[in-house]
């Protein structure tokens, strides 16, 4: 895409008066926008997309204008540069694409209803009103809204309502802010409210399809998050209120609109009495993420979209900093390690991956570049690395100065590095550059050479080896106090191993705490010394070891079989992080055995064996004595037990179902998924399948729905699976926002894989039309690459996707995914015998 002109260069808006008249019944928006600002030249432009413009006035005079849909623009002239007032009268369609102003559909007691909400990031404000729709064009906004209002309905926005006259709701003027953060929601809402210590009104809103108690958890986390950030950033929350609103239809996960954050229902509403701890943790971190943005992103905003990563990776780090402070017993950093770190390391090991920081000309290019594993997970990992280098105190001090200097304005990464550099006295921007501008990361090999420990760094790849001489400034974080803090050369001699051991109580390790973005390959001797003590290491170290060696195995540098030997010793760990890594490895091993084969049976026995002690220890029901770790481990090991098909475990699962008289909603959330999966897989002949699907359609409880989806997609019956595929395009059963999970679920099931793949091949153009505008559209391709692992599927994948390789939003994804599937197929072929032999040796 060629560079586009920034319209902010032609016109600098100061204030918008926005008026919307929204009809859900007629699916139309009528609008009037009045903008005051400074014209830099006499020919100026505003953004618009799909607006039908009736009239445009400059300083009260009707003027001619040209609409240019290719450039999302209206061009017109003002009499002369300087202060002007522009008034535009227009109309726009109320469309279902989950962008701009859009409806959400839901049912209460069988009655169909609609909310209307907004999603303006990155460039959809222009679908709602003519504007300079660029993050740098900050202005104030006074919004007025009329809609086909029914008794009891409300409308909420960035600021409190000022007054209502003749059915028009007028909202107070905002502070200076970017267009992409303007938002409102209207409809039949229920809410819970409270106040922070400092007097900020905090509220949670949802449709009335949910028990009102489901708003409590979010309200508590939101209130405490704001209090935390006011203290941490040493900068007050600048608005009178902070609303959190759950929308039934939502394209992304959540959106940090200033003062009115919007969420997927799954990421805000929690049945406090019956929700898995892992789900509560996700909801809490999502809320903390969006509230971190209220300062970092909203108060101070990136100049341009090339620094979206900074916004997102910063919020991604802060969600863990905040929740760790609010709920210290959760050990939430372990969840960062179990999820974000794994996603970053895996994705970033593929040749062709993008660097964290990439130039973009048009915001639409972000769609093509929006790789969450890089922008969020790797970016956050790098900021965590940075935080461990400069320390938390310097980070807070630097941020305080940054907010003070940049408030209500725009900044770039350089401004942040400067503030943090000042606060820490370290040239942190320089270190970060090697990580942010280069794709990938290094593997550091540690070898004994003539009694010395010698390190070497080179880029790590799974699959195709990138032919580069990239170097990184690597924080070594060694147990050896004499090792340098940073390794910036290809090779480094750390000196005599004997001396190192003397200094380190006999334990030489690198990347202590797993905070830096690299993997380590120890040579045989160093490895043997490490493993001697392995059982005594802390959970982060044990998990890190599994993580690094799993990656090395995927990259063909070590064997999966070596990893298998470690699992029986770790499977009884009381650390959920370790258990997570154990079963992450197990789930990869599943690809080594053919469904229905004797080898698969062997693997099932192995997994049954691995999980047996934990299932016996924890049982199917929560106990008062459970630790938080136990609460996280239970669902994982029960799922493993159901996969392992031990007769006694399956009988226990069924007994749970009978104990609640088959009332799914009454099952405890921690064992619900395992019980439902087992019912679907092992108790055919009942009406479970139809009942579960009907309940899925009826229920408003997102985590129950997710468990039902997991169960339904695990059926062994191809015709049942086909019936699910037949509902993929039926929004009354499967909402478009949830489709990817369904598709991936059926595709991952060998009995449904052909049906799901065939659906994708034949319905691709429908999918593109319905969801192609979504920035995460390419993830439909990504999920396939996580599942396919045979030569035959690789060929089919190539046949289908190679003709699409020049599509801007898909090109990189397709290329990477071909490499990913090919390398996995090769590793499986090469190592399968060894893996099966090891399983034979391990199964009792
Ligand atoms: N600002 C983003 C959402 C977004 C990003 C919308 C880019 C449009 C373009 C929001 O803060 C966010 O990061 N949402 C996440 C959830 C989050 C908690 C990880 C998302 O939607 O996935
Ligand atoms: Zn974000």
């Amino acid at each position: 895409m060629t560079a586009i002109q920034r319209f902010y260069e032609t016109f600098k808006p100061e204030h918008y008066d926005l008026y919307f008249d929204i009809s859900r019944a007629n699916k139309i928006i009528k609008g009037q926008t009045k903008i005051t600002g400074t014209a830099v030249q006499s020919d100026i432009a505003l953004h618009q997309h799909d607006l039908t413009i009736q009239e445009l006035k400059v300083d009260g005079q009707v003027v001619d204008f040209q609409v240019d849909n290719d450039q999302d623009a209206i061009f017109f002239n003002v009499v002369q540069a300087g202060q002007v007032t522009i008034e535009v009268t227009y109309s726009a369609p109320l469309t279902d694409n989950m962008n701009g102003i859009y409806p959400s559909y839901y049912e209460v007691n069988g009655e169909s209803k609609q909310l209307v909400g907004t999603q303006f990031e990155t460039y959809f404000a222009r679908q709602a009103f003519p504007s300079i729709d660029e993050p740098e064009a900050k202005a104030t906004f006074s919004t007025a809204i009329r809609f086909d209002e029914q008794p009891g309905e409300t409308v909420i926005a960035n600021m409190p309502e000022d007054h209502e006259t003749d059915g028009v709701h007028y909202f107070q003027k905002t502070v200076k802010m970017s267009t992409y953060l303007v938002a409102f929601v209207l409809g039949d809402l229920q809410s819970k409210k409270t106040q922070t210590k400092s007097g900020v009104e905090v509220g949670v809103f949802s449709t009335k399809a949910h028990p009102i108690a489901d708003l409590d958890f979010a309200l508590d986390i939101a209130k405490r998050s704001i209090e935390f950030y006011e203290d941490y950033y040493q900068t007050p929350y600048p608005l009178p209120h902070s609303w959190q609103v759950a929308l039934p239809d939502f394209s992304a996960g959540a959106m940090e609109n200033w003062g009115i954050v919007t969420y997927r229902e799954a990421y805000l509403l929690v049945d406090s009495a019956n929700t898995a701890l892992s789900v509560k943790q996700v909801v809490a971190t999502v809320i903390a993420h969006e509230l971190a943005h209220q300062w970092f992103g909203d108060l101070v905003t990136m100049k341009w979209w090339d620094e979206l990563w900074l916004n997102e990776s910063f919020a991604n780090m802060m969600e863990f900093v905040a929740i760790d402070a609010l709920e210290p017993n959760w050990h939430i950093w372990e969840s960062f390690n179990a999820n974000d770190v794994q996603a970053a390391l895996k994705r970033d090991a593929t040749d062709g991956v993008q660097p964290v920081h990439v130039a973009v000309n048009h915001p639409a290019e972000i769609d093509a570049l929006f790789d969450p594993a890089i922008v969020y997970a790797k970016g956050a990992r790098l900021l965590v690395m940075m935080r461990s280098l400069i320390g938390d105190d310097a980070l807070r001090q630097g941020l305080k100065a940054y907010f003070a200097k940049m408030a209500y304005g725009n900044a770039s990464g350089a401004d942040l590095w400067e503030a943090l550099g000042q606060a820490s006295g370290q040239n942190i921007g320089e270190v970060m550059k090697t990580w942010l501008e280069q794709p990938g990361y290094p593997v550091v090999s540690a070898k004994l050479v003539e009694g010395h420990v010698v390190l070497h760094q080179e880029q790590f790849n799974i699959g195709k080896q990138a032919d580069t001489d990239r170097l990184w400034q690597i924080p070594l974080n060694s147990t050896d106090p004499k090792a340098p803090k940073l390794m910036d050369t290809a090779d480094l001699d750390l000196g005599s191993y004997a001396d190192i051991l003397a200094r380190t109580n006999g334990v030489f390790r690198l990347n202590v705490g797993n905070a830096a973005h690299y993997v380590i390959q120890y040579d045989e001797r160093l490895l043997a010394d490490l493993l001697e003590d392995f059982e005594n290491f802390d959970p982060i170290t044990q998990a890190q070891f599994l993580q690094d060696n799993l990656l090395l195995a995927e990259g063909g540098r070590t064997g999966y079989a070596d990893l298998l030997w470690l699992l029986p010793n770790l499977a009884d760990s009381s650390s959920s992080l370790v258990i997570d890594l154990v079963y992450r490895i197990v789930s990869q091993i599943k690809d080594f055995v053919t469904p229905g084969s004797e080898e698969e049976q062997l693997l099932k026995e192995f997994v049954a064996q691995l999980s047996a002690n934990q299932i016996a220890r924890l049982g199917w029901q929560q106990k008062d004595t459970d630790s938080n770790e136990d609460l996280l481990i239970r669902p994982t090991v029960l799922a493993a037990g159901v996969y392992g098909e031990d007769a006694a475990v399956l009988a226990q699962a069924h007994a749970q179902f009978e104990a609640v008289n088959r009332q799914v909603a009454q099952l405890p959330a921690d064992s619900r998924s395992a019980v439902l999966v087992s019912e679907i897989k092992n108790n055919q002949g009942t009406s479970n399948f139809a009942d579960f699907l009907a309940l899925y359609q009826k229920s408003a409880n997102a985590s129950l729905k997710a468990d039902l989806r997991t169960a339904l997609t695990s059926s062994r019956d191809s015709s049942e699976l086909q019936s699910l595929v037949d509902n993929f395009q039926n929004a009354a059963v499967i909402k478009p926002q949830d489709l990817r999970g369904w598709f991936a679920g059926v595709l991952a099931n060998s009995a449904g894989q052909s049906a799901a793949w065939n659906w994708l091949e034949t319905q691709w153009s429908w999918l593109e039309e319905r969801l192609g505008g979504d920035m995460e559209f390419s993830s439909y391709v990504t999920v396939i690459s996580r599942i396919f692992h045979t030569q035959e599927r690789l060929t089919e994948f190539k046949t289908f996707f190679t003709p699409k390789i020049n599509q801007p939003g898909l090109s990189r994804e397709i290329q990477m995914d071909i490499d990913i599937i090919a390398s996995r197929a090769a590793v499986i072929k090469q190592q399968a015998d060894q893996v099966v032999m090891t399983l034979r040796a391990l199964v009792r």
Side-chain angles (χ1 to χ4, degrees):
M1 222 172 274
T2 50
I4 51 136
Q5 197 200 356
R6 306 268 176 94
F7 293 171
Y8 186 55
E9 289 163 8
T10 73
F11 177 60
K12 310 222 180 285
E14 273 136 38
H15 179 75
Y16 291 75
D17 284 306
L18 302 177
Y19 170 78
F20 301 104
D21 181 354
I22 299 165
S23 168
R24 286 168 289 189
N26 302 325
K27 288 192 156 267
I28 188 132
I29 304 156
K30 290 183 186 152
Q32 270 160 19
T33 298
K34 180 167 144 190
I35 318 173
T36 51
T38 308
V40 178
Q41 54 201 53
S42 62
D43 52 328
I44 65 176
L46 292 176
H47 285 111
Q48 67 79 32
H49 185 86
D50 256 3
L51 304 185
T52 305
I53 297 181
Q54 271 97 39
E55 188 180 78
L56 193 151
K57 285 187 192 165
V58 175
D59 293 330
Q61 299 297 315
V62 174
V63 301
D64 285 341
F65 57 88
Q66 283 85 48
V67 171
D68 181 337
N69 285 324
D70 289 342
Q71 293 194 63
D72 276 2
I74 335 169
F75 293 105
F76 56 98
N77 286 301
V78 300
V79 180
Q80 61 181 49
Q83 181 80 16
V84 292
T85 301
I86 301 160
E87 290 164 277
V88 188
T89 308
Y90 62 96
S91 61
L94 187 63
T95 53
D96 287 339
N97 58 5
M98 298 187 273
N99 286 326
I101 301 173
Y102 72 92
S104 274
Y105 301 95
Y106 67 102
E107 275 186 14
V108 183
N109 302 327
E111 191 194 343
S112 299
K113 298 182 73 112
Q114 282 181 40
L115 295 185
V116 170
T118 56
Q119 171 62 43
F120 290 171
E121 191 178 15
T122 19
Y123 57 105
F124 308 117
R126 65 190 65 173
Q127 292 180 28
F129 58 95
S131 48
I132 303 289
D133 193 14
E134 294 166 5
E136 207 177 349
K138 288 197 174 185
T140 53
F141 297 83
S142 299
T143 304
I145 300 170
R146 174 207 289 280
F147 62 107
D148 44 5
E149 186 172 346
Q150 304 297 312
E153 290 191 319
T154 41
V155 48
I156 49 177
N158 302 90
M159 292 292 286
E161 184 169 320
D162 188 79
H163 63 282
E164 189 211 312
T165 310
D166 299 333
V168 182
H169 300 261
Y170 294 86
F171 292 90
Q172 292 174 22
K173 182 172 152 183
T174 68
V175 293
K176 264 184 91 176
M177 60 186 284
S178 302
T179 47
Y180 80 91
L181 296 168
V182 172
F184 58 84
V185 176
L186 57 88
D188 189 12
L189 298 165
Q190 60 179 359
S191 67
K192 283 253 176 120
K193 291 180 189 161
T194 184
Q195 277 202 353
T196 64
K197 280 188 274 197
S198 58
V200 178
E201 285 277 336
V202 181
V204 178
F205 296 73
S206 78
T207 72
K208 292 178 182 166
H210 307 272
I212 188 127
D214 288 9
L215 281 56
D216 292 341
F217 178 79
L219 188 65
D220 173 58
I221 295 287
K223 168 181 180 281
R224 292 194 291 138
S225 294
I226 293 174
E227 290 172 348
F228 170 79
Y229 290 126
E230 288 198 314
D231 175 58
Y232 189 89
Y233 294 146
Q234 290 290 297
T235 307
Y237 178 82
L239 308 182
H241 71 216
S242 172
W243 299 156
Q244 329 299 317
V245 192
L247 295 177
D249 289 288
F250 203 85
S251 158
M255 176 65 212
E256 70 269 26
N257 315 299
W258 214 359
I260 178 166
V261 183
T262 46
Y263 298 81
R264 260 182 197 239
E265 292 183 336
Y267 291 148
L268 190 68
L269 306 176
V270 164
D271 173 358
S272 309
N274 192 22
T275 298
L277 178 58
S278 62
V279 174
K280 289 185 185 168
Q281 292 184 338
V282 169
V283 170
T285 49
V286 171
I287 294 169
H289 174 110
E290 302 310 334
L291 293 176
H293 278 313
Q294 304 298 297
W295 287 260
F296 203 99
D298 296 4
L299 179 63
V300 179
T301 309
M302 69 247 135
K303 272 206 180 67
W304 182 246
W305 294 113
D306 65 326
E307 286 186 309
L308 180 64
W309 73 269
L310 184 59
N311 237 10
E312 294 307 342
S313 44
F314 188 87
N316 197 174
M317 168 176 73
M318 286 310 298
E319 66 190 63
F320 294 96
V321 174
I323 296 302
D324 193 37
L326 301 189
E327 297 289 344
N329 292 331
W330 283 358
H331 304 295
I332 199 72
W333 283 108
E334 294 196 3
S335 143
F336 180 75
N337 264 284
N339 301 307
D340 302 61
V341 169
Q342 306 312 317
L345 286 167
K346 180 146 187 169
R347 183 74 174 169
D348 204 22
T350 306
D351 186 39
V353 72
Q354 67 184 71
V356 174
H357 180 217
V358 202
V360 296
N361 291 312
H362 188 276
E365 286 179 357
I366 293 174
D367 297 1
L369 291 168
F370 199 77
D371 184 338
I374 299 303
V375 174
Y376 287 76
K378 180 182 180 183
R381 182 157 167 76
L382 299 183
L383 293 181
V384 168
M385 183 169 94
M386 178 277 291
R387 179 172 178 244
S388 80
L389 277 174
I390 69 170
D392 195 53
D393 288 344
L395 175 63
R396 291 179 66 170
Q397 218 188 315
L399 284 171
K400 182 183 172 189
Y402 174 79
F403 289 130
K405 184 167 168 206
M406 301 288 177
Y408 305 103
N410 296 79
S412 69
D415 298 309
L416 180 68
W417 305 136
E418 185 181 312
L420 298 179
Q422 290 257 331
S424 67
Q426 295 180 36
N427 190 352
I428 196 70
E430 205 46 47
V431 178
M432 293 303 282
K433 211 155 86 190
T434 61
W435 297 96
L436 297 168
E437 309 293 335
Q438 304 191 99
Y441 62 91
V443 48
V444 172
S445 55
K447 287 196 178 101
L448 271 189
V449 182
E450 291 163 9
H452 279 212
V453 176
V454 176
L455 306 183
H456 173 73
Q457 64 159 302
E458 66 189 29
Q459 182 162 2
F460 175 70
N461 283 115
I462 297 173
K464 213 186 295 157
Q465 297 300 305
D467 186 17
T468 70
D469 46 12
R470 292 186 181 118
L471 290 179
W472 287 264
Q473 296 203 17
I474 305 173
L476 285 179
N477 298 332
S478 172
T479 48
D480 177 9
K482 287 225 168 132
K485 215 170 164 184
L486 288 171
M487 170 174 176
D488 56 7
T489 49
D491 299 282
L492 181 67
D493 187 337
L494 291 182
S496 140
Y497 186 42
D499 293 351
I500 292 175
L501 287 180
R503 285 197 291 268
T504 60
N505 274 333
V507 183
F508 167 69
R509 286 195 290 117
L510 297 170
N511 204 7
V512 173
N514 198 23
H517 191 52
Y518 67 102
V519 292
I520 311 150
Q521 183 161 23
Y522 297 101
D523 76 2
E524 233 169 280
R525 166 72 197 287
L526 295 171
L527 190 64
D529 287 0
L530 263 180
L531 285 177
E532 227 166 75
D533 235 3
F534 192 64
E535 258 122 90
N536 300 322
F537 288 152
D538 62 278
I540 294 229
T541 306
Q542 290 178 339
Q544 176 185 19
F545 187 83
L546 294 181
Q547 151 205 303
D548 282 8
N549 284 282
L550 177 59
L551 288 158
L552 295 171
E554 290 176 76
R557 288 172 176 258
T558 60
Y560 275 89
D562 300 337
L563 272 171
L564 279 178
W565 284 106
L566 294 172
L567 301 190
N569 281 330
L570 295 173
D572 294 340
S573 168
S574 54
S575 154
S576 64
L577 176 60
V578 171
I579 295 302
D580 229 87
L581 264 297
V582 165
Y583 287 101
R584 183 178 288 271
I585 293 168
V586 166
S587 101
Q588 288 210 18
I589 297 292
K590 290 180 187 170
D591 285 350
F592 285 77
V593 298
T594 313
S597 66
E598 199 187 308
E599 290 77 21
E600 188 191 42
Q601 200 46 43
L602 195 63
L603 177 60
K604 285 182 178 172
E605 278 167 43
F606 177 64
V607 175
Q609 219 172 276
L610 273 188
S611 54
N613 289 345
Q614 296 269 24
I615 295 177
R617 178 174 79 86
L618 295 168
W620 293 73
Q621 307 269 348
Q622 275 191 26
K623 300 202 242 332
D624 291 344
T625 50
D626 283 341
S627 66
N628 281 325
E629 299 288 324
D630 292 341
L631 295 178
L632 295 172
I633 293 171
R634 181 178 284 112
T636 310
V637 295
L638 292 179
V642 168
Y643 172 81
E645 290 178 0
D646 175 79
V649 170
L650 298 187
Q652 288 164 16
H654 190 54
Q656 298 299 314
F657 195 53
E658 293 298 345
V660 295
N661 286 320
R662 306 175 162 252
Q663 299 300 304
V664 172
Q666 285 172 27
L667 285 168
D670 289 349
S671 51
R672 189 169 59 204
S673 170
V675 170
L676 296 177
V677 167
S678 185
E679 282 305 306
I680 288 289
K681 286 175 84 166
N682 305 311
N683 298 285
Q684 302 291 350
T686 69
S687 55
N688 279 342
F689 189 86
D691 290 351
F692 289 7
L693 189 57
L695 180 61
Y696 177 88
Q697 195 176 341
K698 206 174 90 202
S699 173
N701 181 321
S703 71
L704 170 60
K705 290 182 78 159
D707 289 346
L708 287 165
R709 185 195 70 210
T710 304
L712 289 162
T713 57
S714 70
S715 166
R716 301 180 202 257
D717 179 333
S718 299
S719 62
E720 285 180 352
L721 294 165
Q722 181 62 51
S723 78
L724 297 178
V725 172
D726 293 341
N727 274 311
F728 280 5
Q729 281 149 268
N730 180 359
V733 179
I734 298 176
K735 278 177 174 281
Q737 66 166 11
D738 299 322
L739 178 54
R740 197 182 48 218
W742 281 94
F743 169 67
V746 180
L747 192 78
N749 180 339
S750 58
Q753 187 162 93
S754 295
W757 175 234
N758 185 37
W759 173 81
L760 186 103
E761 286 180 310
T762 53
Q763 299 304 314
W764 180 259
S765 49
W766 174 85
L767 196 64
E768 249 189 333
E769 191 179 300
R770 192 72 185 72
L771 298 164
D774 197 290
M775 67 199 295
E776 289 189 37
F777 178 62
S778 65
S779 61
Y780 274 87
V781 189
T782 321
V783 297
I784 303 171
S785 78
R786 292 199 192 120
I787 293 165
F788 281 6
H789 58 270
T790 62
Q791 200 55 49
E792 296 71 40
R793 288 297 191 204
L794 173 64
T795 308
E796 293 174 26
F797 183 93
K798 278 187 182 161
T799 308
F800 185 71
F801 282 113
T802 311
K804 301 176 175 45
I805 211 151
N806 291 324
Q807 257 170 265
L810 295 179
S811 173
R812 183 196 296 271
E813 190 60 47
I814 293 171
Q815 247 146 31
M816 285 175 69
D817 289 344
I818 289 174
D819 187 22
I820 286 170
I821 302 170
S823 79
R824 188 176 316 113
V827 166
I828 289 171
K829 194 160 173 225
Q830 189 197 359
Q831 299 195 20
D833 289 349
Q834 190 68 34
V835 163
V836 171
M837 253 168 56
T838 309
L839 285 174
R840 283 220 165 84
L842 282 167
V843 170
R844 287 188 295 264

